[in-house]
Amino acid sequence: MNVAGQPRDVRAVYRGRMRAAVIHGPRDVRVEDRPDPKILTPGDAVVRVVAACVCGSDLWPYRGVSAVKKPRPIGHELVGVVEALGADVTSTRVGDFVILPFTMSCGECQACRAGYPAACDLVTGFGSTDRWGNPVDGAQGERVRIPLAQHSLFPVGRSEAELEAAGLVPHLLSLADVMSTGYHAAFSAGVSAGDTVVVVGDGAVGLSGVLGARLLGADRVIAMSRHDDRAALAREFGATDVVAERGEEGLAAVRDLLDGDLADAALECVGTEQSMDTALSVVRGGGRVGFVGVPHGPDLSVRRLFDRNITIGGGMASARRYMETLLPDVLSGAIVPGKVFDLELPLADVAEAYAAMDERRATKVLVRP
Amino acid sequence: MNVAGQPRDVRAVYRGRMRAAVIHGPRDVRVEDRPDPKILTPGDAVVRVVAACVCGSDLWPYRGVSAVKKPRPIGHELVGVVEALGADVTSTRVGDFVILPFTMSCGECQACRAGYPAACDLVTGFGSTDRWGNPVDGAQGERVRIPLAQHSLFPVGRSEAELEAAGLVPHLLSLADVMSTGYHAAFSAGVSAGDTVVVVGDGAVGLSGVLGARLLGADRVIAMSRHDDRAALAREFGATDVVAERGEEGLAAVRDLLDGDLADAALECVGTEQSMDTALSVVRGGGRVGFVGVPHGPDLSVRRLFDRNITIGGGMASARRYMETLLPDVLSGAIVPGKVFDLELPLADVAEAYAAMDERRATKVLVRP
């Protein structure tokens, strides 16, 4: 169904051309000409990308862990300026500076109303197809058509020039995914005042999880990190301790720090078998694990949860919801989550952005069209 | 280690004899002579059993689903009167009427302090061996030695005669396990005011879960039940709706009741693959599942939780903690959780107690020594 009654053949609608990143296979991301997006349904917007970035989850297909069946546009994090709006979109105006959550959502279904837009009945990802069969661009490009724009666009309320001048663009961009995802890990782990929290994973999401745990009131945050630069940023984000060891040795180090006790909660921010095992191991009986790493490990033993009364929850972050929570702290400078970006490259160099993250030369790369 | 410095050979300590239930194998539970329990460590108590009962989890070995490697005393729910106390036990006095949680706990380790005594570092079950190598009796018998008695015994504060006269014994007995376990399912599912909750399982635990969900503020409780008598008790305990269908049809029936929506939370009170699948299916995106059925199903797909942002938690109930919460309501008659007992038999007929539950002629059987 095409709710606008527009032609289904996008070639008839896409007239101009733009530059955007396309993944062709393992370690093969190219910048290519793509059709310039246009409004296809009354619920659409077209957004000019001001800044995008590369996500740890983009590395799964880049590394060949997830299959790339055919070339597709990639990237799902962006801030930008609204260029065009469908007739039904009243929540923003052309010219507004907006943040996009990494999934679009309707705002009306039960999951959206309950505060879980990433579990929306109509959830739509970047670089895919919307529920009306129309293609959705990737975020690593010059422009993007945004379906479900009424709820998905989050206007910041300040101009592009003002936000650029204040150096706020990277911090706002972090709310599109990485900071919201770190916060979701802490939220899903039920972190509350006085908790001791272990963060498993020192990528950009793990670092954001440290910040999220502190924002939710954790007294003590133990970051598991083997990289000096990341450990330093973890401390800047509020980690009280850093453990470099992994596995059994990591567990022993946590116990040492806590005088034989374990954590109240753990944030699993990687998605591998080992990271999940560590997260489950470092919490006390009755402890809680929040997980946001895209699951690539085996199924979970219910008995293991049962025997130690562990609660586990997580998934894709409620980014659209947390933007509202976190924006005031970003605008005031109370938090500086964009510090996870340690490299900025032009879109033309997006292949290098991927390589730098793949080879751990960068934690997270911001890309400017 | 024997902390009391007592002889390890229990034959030297157990002098008298008592009657107690012993499971020998599938559908083979016998009442036998057993050594009369004595104080073996300064932390022990000996309790005379006033009432015990048969648990749904006792049916796992009875039905041969769990192996019975050698004959062992069985039963883990009891109320009784303290007959003897070790030198270190100051929390109760001889003659006190007490409830025992279905696992003994130290009250001092991190899990106990955090309110999860069933995940105690020294957790000790009935019909097993304590951490000092001494045997622990089953609860379906005349007397039981209780290790870790300082924290495990819960004195009710009224005399046996008074409680019997008031007809409160079954209700107090329910706090030993079944009511606490139902409450734990609701607590683990994070049930709070205004929630819509589906309860999967109409055994005594599921029925108690209905009551638990209402106590925690659920507005609407849908009990999945195929038995008229259990459905009636579910309604008496506060269920607003009953769904008799299972599987896909059960899910459709829940959706119908909720005008296309799903539940905020579900209580998994069985422990099978189908019951867990149903619990995961009936909650909305961002929903919560509390599980207390001893897990007999397969491992859990992390991806399934991730994709719908489901939180799951549970395990053995914090019975020792919930007794404190629930006792006032039992003593006042505000709740009557002992209504799950629909048959009472003397200990001599314990085999019939098992058969009646196995054949679903009874929901839960109270056994009087």
Side-chain angles (χ1 to χ4, degrees):
Chain A
M1 183 179 70
N2 181 321
V3 294
Q6 301 268 359
R8 289 292 302 277
D9 184 349
V10 296
R11 287 169 299 183
V13 185
Y14 285 172
R15 290 189 188 88
R17 308 296 286 176
M18 66 162 181
R19 302 290 284 169
V22 174
I23 186 163
H24 285 255
R27 292 185 172 75
D28 185 4
V29 176
R30 308 175 198 169
V31 178
E32 299 183 353
D33 268 357
R34 300 274 304 164
D36 216 3
K38 305 280 182 193
I39 300 295
L40 297 181
T41 88
D44 288 354
V46 171
V47 173
R48 170 174 57 82
V49 178
V50 169
C53 52
V54 181
C55 180
S57 68
D58 291 331
L59 296 183
W60 292 112
Y62 183 80
R63 289 171 172 163
V65 179
S66 309
V68 179
K69 289 170 194 164
K70 56 180 184 178
R72 62 174 173 83
I74 190 166
H76 54 262
E77 298 156 283
L78 74 94
V79 292
V81 173
V82 177
E83 285 202 333
L85 288 171
D88 291 351
V89 187
T90 58
S91 59
T92 46
R93 288 178 301 180
V94 170
D96 280 355
F97 187 95
V98 293
I99 315 174
L100 264 297
F102 65 97
T103 54
M104 278 67 82
S105 52
C106 73
E108 295 173 3
C109 71
Q110 189 185 18
C112 280
R113 295 194 316 270
Y116 290 86
C120 171
D121 286 350
L122 300 181
V123 67
T124 303
F126 287 87
S128 70
T129 303
D130 68 18
R131 294 305 170 106
W132 297 279
N134 297 311
V136 182
D137 313 279
Q140 295 158 10
E142 290 181 320
R143 275 178 198 77
V144 181
R145 182 183 68 89
I146 306 295
L148 302 169
Q150 175 74 9
H151 181 249
S152 301
L153 297 174
F154 180 73
V156 170
R158 298 198 191 176
S159 74
E160 177 184 8
E162 186 183 359
L163 294 167
E164 288 281 19
L168 287 171
V169 167
H171 307 303
L172 296 168
L173 176 60
S174 78
L175 302 187
D177 183 345
V178 61
M179 179 59 213
S180 293
T181 296
Y183 191 85
H184 191 57
F187 182 88
S188 299
V191 172
S192 63
D195 274 349
T196 292
V197 179
V198 170
V199 179
V200 184
D202 65 354
V205 170
L207 295 167
S208 302
V210 169
L211 192 47
R214 292 292 276 187
L215 286 169
L216 287 168
D219 262 359
R220 194 158 184 184
V221 177
I222 301 171
M224 302 195 81
S225 175
R226 297 197 291 188
H227 303 89
D228 288 346
D229 52 341
R230 297 178 183 201
L233 186 52
R235 286 192 187 275
E236 191 178 336
F237 278 179
T240 51
D241 306 89
V242 172
V243 164
E245 294 84 355
R246 293 194 177 185
E248 284 298 317
E249 291 179 356
L251 174 60
V254 169
R255 276 202 187 275
D256 273 358
L257 281 173
L258 302 179
D259 298 327
D261 278 352
L262 290 166
D264 300 302
L267 315 189
E268 191 289 298
C269 301
V270 184
T272 61
E273 178 170 13
Q274 187 187 33
S275 60
M276 181 61 88
D277 182 66
T278 299
L280 291 167
S281 297
V282 296
V283 295
R284 59 164 168 77
R288 307 172 305 271
V289 173
F291 70 101
V292 293
V294 181
H296 284 74
D299 287 351
L300 200 62
S301 162
V302 184
R303 187 80 210 196
R304 182 171 181 184
L305 303 180
F306 186 90
D307 285 347
R308 301 189 56 241
N309 250 292
I310 293 173
T311 295
I312 181 167
M316 291 197 294
S318 308
R320 181 60 183 75
R321 165 185 176 190
Y322 299 141
M323 287 174 191
E324 302 180 19
T325 308
L326 299 171
L327 182 68
D329 282 346
V330 167
L331 292 179
S332 73
I335 59 172
V336 287
K339 284 209 169 187
V340 294
F341 298 110
D342 51 359
L343 181 61
E344 180 175 323
L345 291 171
L347 176 62
D349 295 340
V350 72
E352 165 58 13
Y354 277 80
M357 282 177 62
D358 177 38
E359 296 159 19
R360 296 186 191 280
R361 290 182 279 113
T363 302
K364 191 169 178 74
V365 186
L366 188 147
V367 175
R368 291 275 194 174
Chain B
M1 182 180 72
N2 182 319
V3 294
Q6 301 268 0
R8 290 292 300 277
D9 183 347
V10 296
R11 287 170 300 183
V13 185
Y14 287 173
R15 291 190 185 86
R17 309 294 288 176
M18 65 161 182
R19 302 290 285 170
V22 174
I23 186 163
H24 285 256
R27 293 184 171 75
D28 184 5
V29 176
R30 308 174 197 168
V31 179
E32 298 182 352
D33 268 357
R34 300 275 303 165
D36 217 3
K38 304 282 181 191
I39 300 295
L40 296 180
T41 88
D44 288 354
V46 170
V47 172
R48 170 174 58 81
V49 178
V50 170
C53 52
V54 182
C55 180
S57 68
D58 292 331
L59 295 183
W60 293 111
Y62 183 80
R63 289 171 170 163
V65 179
S66 308
V68 179
K69 290 169 192 163
K70 56 181 186 178
R72 62 175 173 80
I74 191 165
H76 53 261
E77 299 155 283
L78 74 93
V79 292
V81 174
V82 177
E83 283 203 333
L85 288 169
D88 291 351
V89 185
T90 58
S91 58
T92 45
R93 289 179 300 180
V94 170
D96 279 354
F97 188 95
V98 293
I99 314 174
L100 264 298
F102 64 96
T103 54
M104 278 68 83
S105 52
C106 74
E108 294 173 2
C109 71
Q110 188 186 18
C112 280
R113 296 194 315 272
Y116 290 86
C120 172
D121 286 350
L122 301 180
V123 66
T124 303
F126 287 87
S128 70
T129 304
D130 68 19
R131 294 304 170 107
W132 298 279
N134 297 311
V136 181
D137 313 280
Q140 294 158 10
E142 290 181 322
R143 273 178 201 76
V144 180
R145 181 183 70 89
I146 306 295
L148 303 168
Q150 176 73 10
H151 180 249
S152 301
L153 297 174
F154 180 73
V156 170
R158 299 198 190 174
S159 74
E160 177 184 10
E162 186 183 359
L163 294 167
E164 288 280 20
L168 287 170
V169 167
H171 306 303
L172 296 167
L173 176 60
S174 77
L175 301 187
D177 183 345
V178 61
M179 179 59 212
S180 293
T181 295
Y183 191 85
H184 191 57
F187 181 88
S188 299
V191 173
S192 63
D195 274 350
T196 292
V197 179
V198 170
V199 179
V200 183
D202 65 354
V205 171
L207 294 167
S208 302
V210 170
L211 193 46
R214 292 292 278 187
L215 286 169
L216 286 167
D219 261 359
R220 193 157 184 185
V221 178
I222 301 170
M224 301 193 82
S225 175
R226 298 199 291 188
H227 304 88
D228 288 345
D229 53 340
R230 296 179 183 199
L233 186 52
R235 287 191 186 275
E236 190 176 337
F237 278 178
T240 51
D241 306 270
V242 172
V243 163
E245 294 84 356
R246 293 195 177 185
E248 285 298 316
E249 290 179 357
L251 174 60
V254 169
R255 274 201 188 275
D256 272 356
L257 281 172
L258 302 179
D259 297 327
D261 278 352
L262 290 166
D264 300 301
L267 315 188
E268 191 291 297
C269 301
V270 184
T272 61
E273 178 171 11
Q274 187 187 31
S275 60
M276 181 63 88
D277 182 65
T278 298
L280 291 167
S281 298
V282 295
V283 295
R284 59 164 168 79
R288 308 173 304 272
V289 172
F291 70 100
V292 293
V294 181
H296 284 73
D299 287 351
L300 200 61
S301 162
V302 184
R303 187 80 211 198
R304 183 172 181 182
L305 302 180
F306 185 90
D307 286 345
R308 299 190 58 240
N309 250 293
I310 293 173
T311 295
I312 180 167
M316 291 197 294
S318 307
R320 181 59 182 76
R321 164 186 176 190
Y322 300 141
M323 287 174 191
E324 302 181 18
T325 307
L326 299 171
L327 181 67
D329 281 346
V330 167
L331 292 179
S332 73
I335 60 173
V336 286
K339 284 208 167 186
V340 294
F341 297 110
D342 50 358
L343 180 62
E344 179 175 324
L345 291 171
L347 177 62
D349 295 340
V350 73
E352 165 58 11
Y354 277 80
M357 281 177 63
D358 177 39
E359 296 159 19
R360 297 186 190 279
R361 289 182 279 114
T363 301
K364 192 169 176 75
V365 185
L366 189 147
V367 175
R368 291 275 194 175

